[in-house]
């Protein structure tokens, strides 16, 4: 008898193989580097801004997170890295959280990169006040907004 686990592994492998982009495709010539800046989405009490660039098949994002509320609550941003191609509505593949717990008017710096040589990638950010919601333990967050969409 063949185990169900074996069939499950075969289907997973087949699904990954069929959904993966063709690795054999290469880009001719040298890709042009792109750069840009981004700024907060407007959540009161939180300010974040920074820059992004594409270089050597990587998408880099860096910046800082500042607590502007001065209410004794920590602030955070959540970064979501999303594959845009070949997925028209996007497929999240990585999440990062940056927390500033150092107080009013202070900055928390951050920097991340992602290697996606043939796929358009979107980075979206959501700003939050930790435990700032109406219920205990619930964060008060602004909407998720896109800060960059580029092909490294």
């Amino acid at each position: 008898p063949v185990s169900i686990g074996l069939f499950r592994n075969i289907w997973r492998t087949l699904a990954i193989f069929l959904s993966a982009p063709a690795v054999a495709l290469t880009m001719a010539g040298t890709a042009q580097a792109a750069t840009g800046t981004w700024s907060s989405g407007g959540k009161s009490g939180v300010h974040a801004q920074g820059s992004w660039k594409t270089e050597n098949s990587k998408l880099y994002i860096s910046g800082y997170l500042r607590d502007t509320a001065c209410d004794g609550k920590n602030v955070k941003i959540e970064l979501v890295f999303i594959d845009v191609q070949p997925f028209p509505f996007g497929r999240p593949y990585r999440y990062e959280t940056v927390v500033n717990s150092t107080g009013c008017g202070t900055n928390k710096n951050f920097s991340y990169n992602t290697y996606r040589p043939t796929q358009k990638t979107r980075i979206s950010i959501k700003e939050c006040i930790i435990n700032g919601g109406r219920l205990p333990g619930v964060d008060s967050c602004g909407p998720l907004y896109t800060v960059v969409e580029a092909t490294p």
Side-chain angles (χ1 to χ4, degrees):
V2 178
S3 74
I4 293 174
L6 176 62
F7 281 116
R8 190 176 302 137
N9 288 337
I10 289 171
W11 281 112
R12 284 181 187 159
T13 303
L14 184 59
I16 290 169
F17 176 75
L18 292 176
S19 67
V23 177
L25 294 177
T26 59
M27 296 176 63
T30 304
Q32 294 292 322
T35 62
T37 59
W38 61 272
S39 188
S40 267
K43 173 71 179 160
S44 180
V46 185
H47 178 74
Q49 74 179 51
S51 61
W52 61 269
K53 71 177 179 177
T54 61
E55 186 176 77
N56 299 323
S57 298
K58 289 185 180 182
L59 175 58
Y60 297 84
I61 185 166
S62 61
Y64 69 84
L65 168 62
R66 179 180 294 153
D67 177 353
T68 60
C70 303
D71 58 3
K73 295 180 178 160
N74 298 329
V75 297
K76 71 178 179 179
I77 57 172
E78 297 174 353
L79 293 89
V80 183
F81 294 76
I82 302 166
D83 280 337
V84 178
Q85 291 175 332
F87 310 99
F89 299 105
R91 180 183 72 175
Y93 67 90
R94 180 177 172 189
Y95 300 88
E96 298 289 348
T97 300
V98 178
V99 175
N100 182 343
S101 57
T102 56
C104 177
T106 61
N107 292 341
K108 171 74 174 186
N109 296 321
F110 64 90
S111 180
Y112 297 102
N113 69 70
T114 185
Y115 178 74
R116 302 305 249 205
T118 61
Q119 292 179 294
K120 184 181 283 187
T121 298
R122 176 185 310 135
I123 301 176
S124 295
I125 290 180
K126 178 169 54 173
E127 302 162 318
C128 301
I129 298 174
I130 298 175
N131 295 323
R134 295 178 189 225
L135 299 172
V138 176
D139 298 339
S140 172
C141 299
L144 191 67
Y145 65 95
T146 299
V147 294
V148 61
E149 188 170 301
T151 303

